[in-house]
Amino acid sequence: MTAYGGTGGGGGGGRMGVGFAACHHGEILQGVFLDENDRPCAGLVTLPMQGPGTRAEFTPRPGTSPGQLAVFPANRTKALRAAALAIEECAPLRGQAPCRGGELTLSGDVPLGLGMGSSSSDVIAAIRAVADAYGLRLPPATIARLAVRAERASDPLMLGGGPLLFAQREGRVLEVLGDALPPAVVVGCALGGGSPVDTLSLPAPRHDHEDVRAYERLRSLLRRAVADADTALLGHISTESARRAQRVREQREFGLLDRIAGRVGAVGLQIAHSGNVAGLLFDPAAPDLGHRLRRCVRALRTCGIPVTRTFATGTTGTTGEEHLHGRAHVRRDRPTRSDTPRRRAHLPALRDDEGRLGHGGGTAPARHRHRTTR
């Protein structure tokens, strides 16, 4: 935990704090794995994505009760719960009683219910905003603990974009797989017509010993893919993970997406295991990459699958840390591994035969774009 400013500041005067959290593009790998004690444990590896995210602003109201803690929009109950937990965590660190209300406002552009971590983005941004209001920067492990308490399971958005196997229901890292995923270009799309998915209504997955062996094999392969920067192997792993997930939540377009991937020269596909966002993965070193991407966009649209955005893995760079994370999150206080969003890679614009753009265009419905004025 890092404090900044004078000891008399930190939330005592109702100063607004801000926080930001990115989202992701579903999972590369998700299943059940063995932890350090050989205990089966649910885990996942997300596909990081630059751009969309949640910005949170929190203004404490000194002298008010916890019952006067409010969130805008009002339906962001997980973020509200996260803010309350963050107040309980931060106030004692400043020598204050945690019985304070306040106002939390969320704004952003993360599509809701597509499996891109919109609720985790809300929750983590809220925790960071509360900590910033108290003049604190909480370590990622603390944010993970609070996030799991707030929403029962959390994506590892508080830990940056590096490849790691994360126990989403326990809020801990099972394995750091390396520095970066193999380079890949992803053509994103939305299955199921882009309709949101109620994750709480999904059946709980049941895994046996054969499942554990299969997922441990994929984990080993992903470790090798990261070490060798092997994009083709990454595509194989994500496809196999998505295929196994069909036993729990069948996507009627899975076979179609798989056939498109084969026709247009993709190395594989990935599908959010708790939503409708999906992507086709391409090797950026392919000499005819632009042609492959355009064929992919055209094939998806011909089949009635909305194309969302095209992005690349493995790019670097940070921007506007104080704006995104608040005063407590300036570079001098940050850990070595960055957890700020990164600039979008410059990719060739994708136009089909009718001249429509497929690069960064055509977003799915139900976007998380909101800002309430008070």
Side-chain angles (χ1 to χ4, degrees):
M1 181 271 296
T2 301
Y4 70 99
T7 57
R15 191 202 64 187
M16 184 183 75
V18 298
F20 180 87
C23 67
H24 60 79
H25 200 266
E27 291 77 32
I28 287 289
L29 175 62
Q30 182 171 350
V32 60
F33 307 88
L34 298 177
D35 67 6
E36 66 277 9
N37 297 315
D38 288 332
R39 179 179 64 91
C41 182
L44 52 79
V45 180
T46 58
L47 177 61
M49 182 181 64
Q50 307 163 39
T54 299
R55 175 183 169 88
E57 297 177 354
F58 176 71
T59 303
R61 300 301 182 200
T64 59
S65 67
Q68 294 175 277
L69 184 63
V71 63
F72 305 91
N75 64 343
R76 300 296 185 262
T77 55
K78 293 179 181 178
L80 181 65
R81 192 155 56 241
L85 293 170
I87 291 171
E88 292 178 1
E89 184 82 21
C90 295
L93 296 175
R94 281 300 194 180
Q96 301 172 7
C99 53
R100 297 178 183 271
E103 294 180 353
L104 174 69
T105 300
L106 303 174
S107 60
D109 54 0
V110 184
L112 300 179
L114 291 187
M116 297 175 67
S118 60
S119 61
S120 290
S121 183
D122 282 355
V123 162
I124 295 167
I127 293 170
R128 285 174 168 166
V130 170
D132 188 52
Y134 280 90
L136 302 170
R137 181 178 62 80
L138 298 176
T142 300
I143 297 175
R145 171 171 54 82
L146 297 177
V148 169
R149 288 183 62 191
E151 57 171 338
R152 296 195 295 182
S154 175
D155 294 311
L157 304 175
M158 73 294 292
L159 295 168
L164 51 85
L165 181 62
F166 186 73
Q168 69 270 27
R169 297 172 190 163
E170 301 177 17
R172 64 190 182 97
V173 176
L174 297 177
E175 181 182 355
V176 177
L177 297 165
D179 294 329
L181 285 173
V185 176
V186 183
V187 176
C189 59
L191 306 181
S195 59
V197 175
D198 180 7
T199 56
L200 296 179
S201 68
L202 296 177
R206 296 181 179 180
H207 299 293
D208 56 23
H209 293 299
E210 189 278 330
D211 290 318
V212 174
R213 287 194 296 270
Y215 283 117
E216 278 294 312
R217 176 178 174 275
L218 291 176
R219 173 186 185 174
S220 177
L221 289 175
L222 184 55
R223 192 183 299 128
R224 187 203 309 170
V226 170
D228 297 342
D230 190 332
T231 305
L233 184 55
L234 177 72
H236 167 75
I237 295 161
S238 63
T239 303
E240 287 304 305
S241 180
R243 195 185 309 279
R244 296 189 69 85
Q246 294 298 298
R247 299 179 304 168
V248 177
R249 178 174 176 267
E250 186 176 358
Q251 289 275 11
R252 62 181 179 84
E253 295 126 319
F254 175 83
L256 176 60
L257 205 65
D258 196 22
R259 290 192 294 273
I260 291 174
R263 290 203 311 265
V264 302
V267 297
L269 57 88
Q270 59 91 210
I271 298 178
H273 291 208
S274 60
N276 280 328
V277 71
L280 284 84
L281 281 60
F282 292 84
D283 186 343
D288 56 347
L289 176 63
H291 176 65
R292 296 188 189 199
L293 298 181
R294 286 188 291 273
R295 286 187 62 203
C296 179
V297 169
R298 188 162 57 247
L300 291 170
R301 286 177 171 158
T302 299
C303 294
I305 299 176
V307 177
T308 55
R309 63 173 63 227
T310 301
F311 64 97
T313 66
T315 54
T316 59
T318 59
T319 178
E321 292 184 9
E322 183 167 350
H323 169 70
L324 298 174
H325 293 271
R327 291 168 291 269
H329 303 280
V330 293
R331 180 173 298 277
R332 64 177 177 274
D333 289 334
R334 295 181 60 74
T336 302
R337 181 193 301 171
S338 172
D339 57 357
T340 56
R342 296 171 291 184
R343 295 186 181 91
R344 291 181 61 184
H346 292 289
L347 297 174
L350 307 179
R351 294 183 182 273
D352 61 17
D353 290 341
E354 298 177 16
R356 294 175 297 187
L357 278 172
H359 168 54
T363 54
R367 277 197 173 276
H368 178 183
R369 188 181 300 278
H370 47 255
R371 182 164 182 104
T372 303
T373 55
R374 302 187 301 279

